[in-house]
């Protein structure tokens, strides 16, 4: 989420600086493109200490060229590759990876031990370590190694969170019987609410830079996991309520290594995104969770832009509490995104001339949006991860008394070129996945091509907005 630099200023000067941005010409002209991100734009999600990770040092012509390539290749994919056998070969031919029961068992034990040690390090480091974010083990573990490192490994390699998850592992000591049952219509809406709440807390508090607040949030999440498991059972907590597990599950479906009941399989990137549709009673909530993942990353970056500050500062000065302003903007933007996607799904139904319901179409195509978020996450955070890894290693070696200035790694300028290429790669994978679903669901070459146009437009806008966000400067977000 936000980087530590955004939290450095004292409270008295923050709104004054925000108001200055609002009055500036730059703040005014940035309002228009910033507002466009309310429709669909990945963002500066989940930062941490020490440096800013968001601004990309790449030439403007490369960004423009990437945008043109996004549109051209998207149209090429949706118009030329319609051979069902080729698409089936891409998605339906997994290769087994040797992993016997002993390997899986020991892998789970090692992963569990790492997760429990990490949780203990966060709690102890947050309470006993130095208050400076760049020197605190809890902040470095959560934001550098967990949110950036583990998340990137999830969509690049495979989802290891179920093996590492310390919250779920501690909950296994509780009884498995359900005391209460969630109604069928609830679906994954509790997880949607939990994800929105976590990101709202990150925005309106100093949790990304204050080790004590971070420790309190981690402890509260552990308590929520134990209480939710005890009341609703492990499966309901995992599937319907737990937002963190849901995020890793979605990102893991992008990866080439997938876990099955028989072990591990090697698949083409994104092939697992074409799993069967959700049950009819949960389709809207499944779509809602995918869109929540896209929206919170968008909103988290959007609030760090001058455009948002130029909109929010007058509202806060007029007397509306900043926490409520951010909360209303988050819910309102999410509702707009959900409505826009549902309208696009209705457009797919009309252009595809199909008997399939809008809800089934929306659920079938929603996972195809996940590579967009993965591409932006990699684009934004690879430099941040590389820069902060030395600090994380040094602080982990002496968490209670780290050096006054932990080392950071200087990166060559060409690393900035990775950002637009990563966004383009995520876009292409998203379009390819959506195209495969269209060919599978709609009969006839012409119908399958026409049906995708509403979603292709959404994806192109998403990717262009991602490039725009990468190029934006960040401004200090005032504490609430």
């Amino acid at each position: 989420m936000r980087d530590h630099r955004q939290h450095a200023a004292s409270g008295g000067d923050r709104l004054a600086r925000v108001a200055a941005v609002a009055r500036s010409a730059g703040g005014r002209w940035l309002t228009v493109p910033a507002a466009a991100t309310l429709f669909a734009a990945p963002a500066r999600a989940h930062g941490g200490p020490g440096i800013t990770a968001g601004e990309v040092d790449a030439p403007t012509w490369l960004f423009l060229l990437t945008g043109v390539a996004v549109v051209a290749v998207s149209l090429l994919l949706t118009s030329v590759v319609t051979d069902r056998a080729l698409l089936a070969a891409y998605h339906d031919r997994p290769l087994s990876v040797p992993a016997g029961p002993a390997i899986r068992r020991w892998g789970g034990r090692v992963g569990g031990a790492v997760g429990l040690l990490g949780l203990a390090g966060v709690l102890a480091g947050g309470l006993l370590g130095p208050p400076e974010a760049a020197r605190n083990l809890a902040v470095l573990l959560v934001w550098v190694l967990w949110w950036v490192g583990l998340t990137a490994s999830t969509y690049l390699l495979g989802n290891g969170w179920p093996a590492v998850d310390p919250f779920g592992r501690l909950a296994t000591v509780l009884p498995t019987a359900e005391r209460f049952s969630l109604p069928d219509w609830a679906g994954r809406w509790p997880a949607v609410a939990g994800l929105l709440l976590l990101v709202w807390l990150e925005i309106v508090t100093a949790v990304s830079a204050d080790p004590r607040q971070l420790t309190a949030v981690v402890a509260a999440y552990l308590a929520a996991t134990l209480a939710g498991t005890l009341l609703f059972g492990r499966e309901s907590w995992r599937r319907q309520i737990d937002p963190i597990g849901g995020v890793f599950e979605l990102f893991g479906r992008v990866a080439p290594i997938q876990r099955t009941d028989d072990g591990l399989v090697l698949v083409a990137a994104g092939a697992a995104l074409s799993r069967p549709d959700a049950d009819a009673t949960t389709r809207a909530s499944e779509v809602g969770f995918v869109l929540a993942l896209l929206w919170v990353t968008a909103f988290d970056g959007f609030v760090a832009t001058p455009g948002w500050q130029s909109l929010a500062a007058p509202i806060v000065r007029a007397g509306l509490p900043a926490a409520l302003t951010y909360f209303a903007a988050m819910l309102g933007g999410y509702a707009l995104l959900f409505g826009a996607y549902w309208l696009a799904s209705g457009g797919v139904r009309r252009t595809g001339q199909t008997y399939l319901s809008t809800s089934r179409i929306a659920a079938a195509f929603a996972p195809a949006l996940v590579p967009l978020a993965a591409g932006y996450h990699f684009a934004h955070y690879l430099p941040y991860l590389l820069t902060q890894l030395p600090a994380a290693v040094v602080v982990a070696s002496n968490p209670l008394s780290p050096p006054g200035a932990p080392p950071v790694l200087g990166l060559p300028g060409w690393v900035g070129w990775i950002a637009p290429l990563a966004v383009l790669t995520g876009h292409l994978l998203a379009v390819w996945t959506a195209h495969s679903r269209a060919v599978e669901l709609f009969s006839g070459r012409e119908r399958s091509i026409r049906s995708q146009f509403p979603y292709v437009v959404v994806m192109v806008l998403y990717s262009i907005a991602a490039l725009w966000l990468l190029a934006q400067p960040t401004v200090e977000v005032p504490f609430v």
Side-chain angles (χ1 to χ4, degrees):
M1 293 179 179
R2 292 169 297 164
D3 58 79
H4 178 55
R5 190 185 67 176
Q6 295 169 339
H7 296 302
S10 60
D13 296 333
R14 291 188 185 99
L15 280 180
R17 274 192 290 272
V18 172
V21 173
R23 291 190 297 268
S24 69
R28 288 194 296 271
W29 75 261
L30 280 171
T31 300
V32 175
T37 65
L38 288 173
F39 179 68
R44 280 179 193 81
H46 309 87
I51 63 167
T52 179
E55 298 172 26
V56 179
D57 183 19
T60 302
W61 67 264
L62 182 58
F63 279 81
L64 296 177
L65 180 62
T66 302
V68 172
V70 163
V71 176
V73 178
S74 298
L75 295 175
L76 182 65
L77 280 175
T78 56
S79 302
V80 176
V81 184
T82 57
D83 184 83
R84 293 177 183 270
L86 174 62
L87 295 173
Y90 184 89
H91 287 278
D92 301 330
R93 293 186 181 177
L95 178 65
S96 297
V97 177
I103 296 178
R104 294 197 298 270
R105 181 171 62 253
W106 280 103
R109 291 176 179 176
V110 172
V114 170
L116 292 174
L117 286 174
L119 177 60
V122 169
L123 297 177
L127 293 175
L128 304 176
E132 299 86 5
R135 300 175 60 231
N136 190 276
L137 179 63
V139 175
L140 292 169
L141 280 178
V142 170
W143 300 121
V144 179
L145 298 183
W146 178 72
W147 174 247
V148 182
L150 184 60
T151 301
S153 71
T154 299
Y155 52 73
L156 292 176
L157 297 176
N159 184 13
W161 178 245
V164 174
D165 180 11
F167 308 104
R169 189 165 294 273
L170 290 174
T172 58
V173 303
L174 300 175
T176 58
E178 296 182 10
R179 287 172 169 78
F180 302 97
S181 298
L182 292 172
D184 291 340
W185 60 263
R188 299 189 76 179
W189 289 120
V192 172
L195 184 57
L196 295 176
L197 176 62
L198 284 176
V199 175
W200 177 74
L201 285 175
E202 182 275 333
I203 290 172
V204 302
T205 69
V207 69
S208 63
D210 187 329
R212 311 306 186 244
Q213 290 191 33
L214 177 60
T215 302
V217 171
V218 172
Y221 199 89
L222 175 59
T225 301
L226 298 177
T229 302
L230 186 63
L231 294 175
F232 300 103
R234 295 174 194 166
E235 185 59 27
S236 292
W237 167 262
R238 183 194 68 81
R239 181 60 190 164
Q240 295 182 267
I241 307 174
D242 180 19
I244 291 179
V247 168
F248 279 100
E249 190 272 336
L250 279 179
F251 275 141
R253 289 170 66 178
V254 180
I257 299 177
Q258 298 292 317
R259 183 176 181 179
T260 67
D261 294 337
D262 298 325
L264 301 178
V265 294
L266 187 65
V267 300
L273 294 169
S274 298
R275 290 174 183 170
D277 300 342
D279 181 79
T281 60
T282 63
R283 283 177 187 157
S285 67
E286 296 286 343
V287 173
F289 191 80
V290 173
L291 296 178
L293 173 60
L294 300 182
W295 172 239
V296 296
T297 55
F299 187 72
D300 193 35
F302 177 53
V303 298
T305 63
W308 163 254
Q309 296 302 321
S310 68
L311 294 173
I315 298 175
V316 174
R317 291 201 308 271
L320 187 66
L324 184 58
T325 300
Y326 281 75
F327 187 72
M330 171 174 278
L331 291 185
Y334 175 68
L336 287 175
L337 175 60
F338 190 94
Y341 180 78
W342 212 262
L343 286 175
S345 300
V348 170
R349 187 172 187 264
R350 290 189 296 272
T351 56
Q353 300 176 344
T354 177
Y355 65 89
L356 298 175
S357 66
T358 299
S359 63
R360 183 180 176 188
I361 292 173
F365 284 92
L369 301 175
V370 177
L372 298 174
Y376 180 81
H377 183 278
F378 187 81
H380 182 65
Y381 278 113
L382 177 63
Y384 176 74
L385 175 64
L386 296 177
T387 303
Q388 291 295 305
L389 266 180
V393 172
V394 170
V395 171
S397 66
N398 190 6
L400 299 183
S401 184
V408 294
L409 181 65
L411 301 178
W414 60 263
V415 172
W417 290 47
I418 296 176
L421 299 179
V423 170
L424 175 59
T425 301
H427 175 87
L428 295 180
L429 184 56
V431 171
W432 175 265
T433 303
H435 179 61
S436 301
R437 294 298 276 157
V439 173
E440 177 184 347
L441 291 175
F442 304 111
S443 60
R445 180 177 182 273
E446 184 178 351
R447 289 174 61 194
S448 65
I449 293 174
R450 286 203 317 267
S451 69
Q452 302 167 60
F453 289 158
Y455 287 148
V456 169
V457 171
V458 170
M459 292 176 180
V460 168
L461 292 176
Y462 198 109
S463 299
I464 293 176
L467 296 173
W468 177 80
L469 273 176
L470 284 171
Q472 294 306 295
T474 58
V475 298
E476 293 172 353
V477 179
F479 289 144
V480 178

